[in-house]
Amino acid sequence: MHRNKLIISTLFFVLFSQLSVLSTAQSSKLTTGKWLQNWYLAGPFQLEEGIDEYQHLGGFDTDFLEKSGGETNPRVNDGAKIKFDGGFVNWKYYKSQEPVINLDEQISKKSFVCAYAYTEIESEVEGVFILALGSNDGGSLWFNGKQVWDNPSARGFTEDDDLIPVAVKKGKNTILLKVEERGNTWAFGARFLPFNLNEFVATQSLFQVNVNGAGIPVLRFLLNESVAEKLFKSVQFEIVDSSLKNTTWEGNWPMIKDIVLPVDNKKYQKNSLKIKATLTNGNLWEKEIPFSSGKSIFYSLFENGKTDYVITIGTDASESEKWSAKELQRWLQEISGAVFPIKTDNAEMTEHELIIGYNKHSISILGSDTKIPAKTDETYSYKNDGAKILLLGGEERGAMYAVFSFLENELGCRWYTPSVSVIPSKEKFSFNYLNHSESPSIQVRNDFYYEAFDPIWAARNKINGAMNFREQHGGVEGYWRVHTFFPFMPPAEFYDKHPEYYSLIDGERIHERAQLCLTNPDVLDIITERLKETIRENPEYLIYSVSQNDWRNPCQCDKCQAIAKKEGSESGPVIWFVNQVAERIKDEFPDKYVGTLAYQYTRKPPANIVPHENVVVRFCSIECCFAHDFNSCSENTEFLSDLKGWAAIAPHMYIWDYVVNFSHYILPYPNFKVLQSNIKTFRDNKAIGIMEQAAYQSRGGEFAELRAYLIGKLLWNADVDVDEVIDDFMAGYYGRSGQYVRAYFDFLHSKLTPETHIHLGLRPDDILFSGNFVSEAEKIFDLAESVADNAEILRRVEMARLPIMYLKCKRTPIEAKYDGTYNRFNTIVQREGITHFAESGQTHVESFHREMELAE
Ligand SMILES: [Zn+2]
Ligand SMILES: [Zn+2]
């Protein structure tokens, strides 16, 4: 190569700088971070407008340098002629003053053309460097004659857009860039950056799975394959089927550009490619790439009021499976207008079926070796096999939950309250891939709102817990009573003859507001026998309570106190006693639990004694602050430490939590922010059940409908997106007014600070409601009412506003009386049949009205 002109133009500089540069004056020295500004340019070469922006322009792949060395080994020389089919151009040396080489100025302003840029780099070392490139538009790049980069995208210039690792030799290295121009600006800029292997693999896309029209997935290594061995010692692949979650293939990557991934392409499915690599520096690198395979076919469940589908249940389907088939039929008909006949698995299998539960039809699809879950297993799944839809789970509730979740997630059905369901109308519904599975966060979900006791609503919303047994589709996990010491051993029956069965208090055996003497062996015998009778007579419960009365006064006798002292807590004698009861009933009732309380004077766990496997410790949060969650409030520290203490020793916990203000059900109570965090804390501390005690005697509790609904969702899935559920409820239940009800909800919660603690007895004169809280809330509710979609929704908004009316009556009764608030409150209360303003019921209602009458 001779480059006379350049030598002359730079001679002065060269002579007075380094002599060693003389022989390679036209090269740049490799200095990381410094822009490459010496180039030989050639072009333009005419191309054709491309098919789309993800492919090169037409004719880009032509090697225009074929007659002068080729793209892999070009002969470059300032002024040298390049002959090609269609004409010739000359190489031209260009030293830019800018980092970016402007090809519009240096080559042409034409569109649909390409140009070459060539340079040589001198390196004193050998090693991997990053060649950082930005170009407008895409192109190809050869480093030392090997193509290391190809990017066909239409793009603007961005510094360091592509980071290309290159193996640099000691001495001379060559770069040939071919860059295309679709229109507007035409430019590029390049420089070397240091190569950090860990950083590189962490930030760069190295692999990509492309699926062709036939559904065949091809894995592509996005860098030049010659770089692979600079990055990796070895690479292992594993393919997992996303529905079945099993490994379908494992193997080593052969370090080539493209490989077809070996998956079953007969049906459409989703997979995950798990890549585990050992880097050349010994570090590990992992990556997961989801991809589909097989041809995506859409199946129509219904269209224009017609369907080809039938609902199939087993001939021996459970009660809840039969009921959910009817529910599925009912809601699908409401959505689509089409009638979906219900058939049994005795009928021959057809192409279009919604199959509920494990029966002949579903098993013939899943395979005869399918493991059928236990009756009580609540884990559910729904998925498709071609056109067929499988709705699966344990026969008691699992399959039923699959049906409701399918309707909820895929078709948008909502059962907000027992009387308000929101069911969308749809002209058509089609699917290509259904695959969803869930398991409950909490085994026994007891949503203790009046609104949540409706058994149909509860079944649809996956609520399965109850204080008292109730008839419900799929059944309930009942908790038999509480505070049972005296119900088992009434003082009226025993005290006269056996005062020693009761607490010794200040030297006297008493029975009024007392407990039992738990170390008296007769007490153990009597309670055990009576518990056995109870279970025999009421076998439908899961947990039977043997627990302290709802007051204090544990026995002070020497024997009881010896245990209490040794265990460092009054819970000591209780667990010591309950363990013996549990031991004595377990052979006859292996599936039942004995529940006992860790409550008030027994809240602290014992130091040594451990509850038996069939004992459930029922733990209560009654003293807590509910403005802040258990983890973030100093007032809850002791509670949390007791909870963790119990969780460390007890095999199971059952939580009695509180979500409402018992002193004023209707008062605003901003505890929504703690619901999720607290339920998660319980879940993570061995809770098999949670009872969220709320306004249970009547409708009308503050945001009762929303809280009942949200709590149901949280008990099922403690990780649910709470804001999403609330927004969905606001829009679905309150319609257009929902945005303002939400605004009020946010306004109320904005009153909380790290210093405002709220407890179960929150009062109307609390600082939270000071200033213009009421009038601001009224303004928001006026807006909410003004946009109510209809009279029914207006009634719902009025229910949400009731707490503000109540609060106004309590804070400024005279004003509330004369501006009509009190009257309106009474009208709504009467219309909605609200009987309880507080847990104390009639007493509270009467005193509320008396206060209002007296206000003058
Ligand atoms: Zn005693
Ligand atoms: Zn607090």
Side-chain angles (χ1 to χ4, degrees):
M1 251 181 259
H2 30 240
R3 296 166 190 141
N4 296 336
K5 271 188 193 167
L6 184 73
I7 290 172
I8 293 161
S9 65
T10 56
L11 191 58
F12 181 82
F13 170 79
V14 167
L15 286 173
F16 289 91
S17 57
Q18 292 162 274
L19 281 173
S20 64
V21 178
L22 190 59
S23 61
T24 56
Q26 306 73 28
S27 304
S28 307
K29 273 189 94 173
L30 196 157
T31 312
T32 55
K34 193 170 174 291
W35 294 96
L36 300 176
Q37 287 163 309
N38 299 311
W39 292 91
Y40 294 88
L41 305 175
F45 301 93
Q46 190 62 48
L47 303 176
E48 288 153 29
E49 195 170 342
I51 300 161
D52 61 46
E53 59 180 294
Y54 305 106
Q55 294 184 47
H56 286 300
L57 294 173
F60 179 84
D61 292 337
T62 308
D63 184 351
F64 296 101
L65 305 180
E66 202 181 352
K67 290 170 185 161
S68 45
E71 286 168 343
T72 55
N73 189 24
R75 292 191 296 273
V76 182
N77 186 346
D78 191 24
K81 191 172 275 184
I82 301 170
K83 287 185 190 162
F84 60 98
D85 294 343
F88 67 89
V89 296
N90 296 88
W91 283 108
K92 177 182 92 166
Y93 175 72
Y94 173 60
K95 181 174 169 58
S96 172
Q97 301 306 310
E98 304 291 327
V100 180
I101 313 301
N102 185 332
L103 295 174
D104 286 320
E105 282 173 12
Q106 297 306 317
I107 302 277
S108 128
K109 291 197 164 57
K110 283 185 183 170
S111 296
F112 310 121
V113 291
C114 71
Y116 291 102
Y118 175 87
T119 191
E120 292 181 2
I121 307 296
E122 279 291 325
S123 177
E124 289 170 0
V125 294
E126 184 187 298
V128 179
F129 286 84
I130 293 291
L131 181 53
L133 176 73
S135 67
N136 179 354
D137 294 290
S140 292
L141 188 141
W142 291 261
F143 188 78
N144 289 339
K146 273 187 186 162
Q147 193 181 5
V148 293
W149 174 82
D150 183 69
N151 188 340
S153 64
R155 62 178 190 177
F157 173 82
T158 307
E159 280 180 15
D160 308 333
D161 207 356
D162 283 298
L163 301 178
I164 310 158
V166 288
V168 172
K169 296 183 292 188
K170 198 171 175 182
K172 189 182 92 174
N173 295 270
T174 64
I175 299 173
L176 178 73
L177 172 67
K178 184 181 189 181
V179 56
E180 62 191 335
E181 164 63 344
R182 290 162 196 261
N184 301 320
T185 314
W186 193 17
F188 73 92
R191 58 176 169 168
F192 284 94
L193 295 174
F195 177 70
N196 176 321
L197 183 54
N198 293 340
E199 196 185 296
F200 185 79
V201 296
T203 54
Q204 294 302 300
S205 296
L206 302 179
F207 294 96
Q208 179 182 308
V209 179
N210 301 307
V211 182
N212 68 18
I216 297 168
V218 176
L219 178 76
R220 164 159 291 191
F221 181 53
L222 295 172
L223 307 174
N224 185 271
E225 51 192 83
S226 67
V227 176
E229 61 185 25
K230 308 271 184 225
L231 306 181
F232 304 117
K233 262 187 209 149
S234 65
V235 184
Q236 284 90 46
F237 288 155
E238 181 189 353
I239 295 175
V240 175
D241 176 337
S242 301
S243 329
L244 303 169
K245 308 213 179 333
N246 59 348
T247 300
T248 56
W249 181 75
E250 274 178 305
N252 287 317
W253 181 47
M255 299 211 188
I256 56 171
K257 189 83 185 161
D258 289 322
I259 61 164
V260 173
L261 292 174
V263 289
D264 175 11
N265 294 314
K266 285 195 282 296
K267 62 178 186 187
Y268 183 77
Q269 65 176 46
K270 291 190 179 171
N271 316 276
S272 187
L273 175 70
K274 294 182 174 176
I275 306 173
K276 278 187 187 164
T278 307
L279 302 179
T280 45
N281 63 8
N283 287 354
L284 295 177
W285 175 77
E286 289 188 3
K287 176 95 183 162
E288 194 167 341
I289 304 175
F291 68 98
S292 64
S293 58
K295 210 168 176 169
S296 167
I297 299 167
F298 278 85
Y299 305 97
S300 168
L301 182 59
F302 57 78
E303 192 166 357
N304 297 326
K306 290 199 175 64
T307 184
D308 298 328
Y309 277 78
V310 297
I311 296 167
T312 304
I313 51 172
T315 40
D316 56 352
S318 69
E319 175 278 330
S320 71
E321 287 173 341
K322 285 180 191 157
W323 178 65
S324 37
K326 283 188 204 140
E327 285 277 292
L328 184 61
Q329 181 183 48
R330 171 186 172 182
W331 301 115
L332 282 177
Q333 182 168 1
E334 193 163 328
I335 295 163
S336 68
V339 179
F340 291 70
I342 299 174
K343 300 206 167 159
T344 71
D345 59 354
N346 273 344
E348 204 162 302
M349 182 122 77
T350 59
E351 182 68 23
H352 299 96
E353 295 198 9
L354 289 141
I355 308 169
I356 299 174
Y358 291 85
N359 53 49
K360 280 185 241 161
H361 287 203
S362 51
I363 288 166
S364 81
I365 293 166
L366 297 164
S368 53
D369 56 345
T370 298
K371 197 171 167 279
I372 294 169
K375 220 171 118 172
T376 51
D377 192 340
E378 290 188 317
T379 297
Y380 76 80
S381 65
Y382 59 79
K383 51 186 154 195
N384 73 305
D385 180 76
K388 297 182 191 72
I389 297 174
L390 301 159
L391 302 144
L392 303 169
E395 64 171 67
E396 210 169 77
R397 288 184 287 269
M400 175 174 86
Y401 291 163
V403 168
F404 286 110
S405 298
F406 172 69
L407 288 167
E408 210 170 350
N409 301 344
E410 305 300 328
L411 291 141
C413 296
R414 298 287 184 274
W415 299 279
Y416 289 124
T417 72
S419 60
V420 180
S421 304
V422 174
I423 309 300
S425 287
K426 287 179 191 287
E427 240 165 60
K428 60 179 181 179
F429 177 81
S430 59
F431 60 92
N432 66 337
Y433 181 75
L434 295 170
N435 177 32
H436 187 82
S437 176
E438 283 185 36
S439 299
S441 293
I442 305 294
Q443 186 188 333
V444 183
R445 303 173 294 279
N446 194 348
D447 190 345
F448 210 66
Y449 259 106
Y450 183 85
E451 283 80 354
F453 296 160
D454 181 283
I456 303 262
W457 181 85
R460 289 174 184 153
N461 284 286
K462 308 190 190 79
I463 290 154
N464 69 349
M467 269 286 261
N468 297 308
F469 185 79
R470 63 173 178 247
E471 290 294 334
Q472 181 175 315
H473 294 291
V476 289
E477 301 297 347
Y479 196 118
W480 183 83
R481 300 184 63 170
V482 68
H483 305 304
T484 56
F485 278 179
F486 279 12
F488 276 127
M489 295 186 63
E493 187 183 344
F494 293 103
Y495 181 76
D496 286 347
K497 280 187 186 164
H498 296 285
E500 74 278 13
Y501 291 172
Y502 298 89
S503 292
L504 182 73
I505 303 291
D506 299 333
E508 227 181 301
R509 292 285 173 178
I510 62 160
H511 66 80
E512 266 170 38
R513 297 185 82 77
Q515 308 289 343
L516 296 170
C517 179
L518 297 172
T519 50
N520 184 309
D522 288 356
V523 171
L524 178 63
D525 291 343
I526 295 166
I527 292 227
T528 304
E529 277 324 299
R530 292 195 169 184
L531 175 63
K532 284 183 175 174
E533 278 165 37
T534 301
I535 304 176
R536 286 178 204 128
E537 282 165 23
N538 310 279
E540 63 276 18
Y541 291 85
L542 177 70
I543 306 168
Y544 295 81
S545 183
V546 175
S547 56
Q548 71 206 48
N549 299 318
D550 198 4
W551 44 73
R552 289 162 196 267
N553 284 334
C555 182
Q556 296 170 354
C557 82
D558 291 346
K559 277 184 160 179
C560 288
Q561 280 313 300
I563 301 173
K565 210 162 280 163
K566 186 174 161 228
E567 299 297 337
S569 168
E570 283 294 340
S571 65
V574 173
I575 297 298
W576 179 84
F577 176 81
V578 170
N579 272 352
Q580 294 177 76
V581 176
E583 183 66 38
R584 290 183 183 194
I585 68 143
K586 79 165 197 263
D587 289 342
E588 189 180 342
F589 309 106
D591 305 331
K592 304 296 185 188
Y593 293 103
V594 180
T596 197
L597 291 167
Y599 171 65
Q600 294 183 336
Y601 72 91
T602 56
R603 208 186 75 180
K604 192 171 172 234
N608 310 295
I609 195 165
V610 170
H612 273 208
E613 184 53 37
N614 59 337
V615 168
V616 178
V617 175
R618 189 167 206 178
F619 193 67
C620 308
S621 64
I622 199 158
E623 302 90 350
C624 289
C625 162
F626 295 102
H628 314 114
D629 65 23
F630 298 139
N631 300 302
S632 64
C633 180
S634 57
E635 296 197 5
N636 297 335
T637 314
E638 205 180 317
F639 168 83
L640 189 63
S641 120
D642 286 349
L643 172 66
K644 291 190 168 163
W646 278 107
I649 60 164
H652 322 282
M653 302 286 284
Y654 190 104
I655 306 298
W656 192 323
D657 188 30
Y658 301 86
V659 290
V660 84
N661 181 359
F662 289 105
S663 310
H664 303 276
Y665 281 162
I666 306 185
L667 200 69
Y669 195 62
N671 68 337
F672 272 86
K673 305 277 186 224
V674 309
L675 298 176
Q676 178 161 43
S677 169
N678 287 358
I679 288 173
K680 280 187 183 175
T681 300
F682 295 139
R683 176 199 62 189
D684 299 341
N685 284 281
K686 293 197 188 156
I688 60 163
I690 299 178
M691 171 185 168
E692 293 291 14
Q693 191 173 353
Y696 59 95
Q697 299 130 307
S698 147
R699 297 183 61 215
E702 186 242 12
F703 277 129
E705 302 87 354
L706 170 60
R707 247 199 231 93
Y709 181 77
L710 175 63
I711 286 168
K713 293 266 173 277
L714 277 168
L715 290 175
W716 173 263
N717 174 12
D719 297 310
V720 76
D721 184 333
V722 168
D723 270 321
E724 208 172 89
V725 174
I726 294 175
D727 285 340
D728 175 84
F729 187 94
M730 292 287 179
Y733 188 71
Y734 297 112
R736 280 188 297 175
S737 308
Q739 57 188 309
Y740 297 110
V741 181
R742 173 88 209 207
Y744 160 72
F745 175 97
D746 292 337
F747 168 66
L748 169 63
H749 285 83
S750 75
K751 294 289 158 190
L752 294 174
T753 71
E755 285 74 42
T756 48
H757 306 286
I758 61 173
H759 301 87
L760 295 183
L762 181 69
R763 293 160 52 104
D765 58 6
D766 194 275
I767 192 163
L768 275 182
F769 310 125
S770 60
N772 52 7
F773 177 83
V774 170
S775 60
E776 287 299 310
E778 282 178 328
K779 278 187 218 156
I780 305 175
F781 273 112
D782 284 345
L783 284 170
E785 288 172 8
S786 73
V787 298
D789 300 65
N790 54 47
E792 163 60 27
I793 286 188
L794 182 61
R795 280 176 56 165
R796 295 177 203 163
V797 175
E798 285 182 314
M799 283 289 273
R801 184 174 187 158
L802 208 57
I804 294 302
M805 300 182 207
Y806 178 85
L807 182 63
K808 191 174 199 178
C809 291
K810 297 297 283 185
R811 285 182 74 90
T812 53
I814 299 170
E815 194 192 338
K817 206 162 150 181
Y818 293 105
D819 76 357
T821 301
Y822 178 52
N823 274 343
R824 194 176 178 201
F825 177 84
N826 286 332
T827 308
I828 297 166
V829 161
Q830 214 150 40
R831 183 186 76 202
E832 304 290 339
I834 297 164
T835 56
H836 285 65
F837 304 171
E839 194 183 26
S840 56
Q842 200 50 32
T843 332
H844 184 100
V845 171
E846 279 164 16
S847 76
F848 171 80
H849 288 307
R850 204 174 316 117
E851 268 173 43
M852 290 308 292
E853 275 153 32
L854 292 174
E856 283 297 343

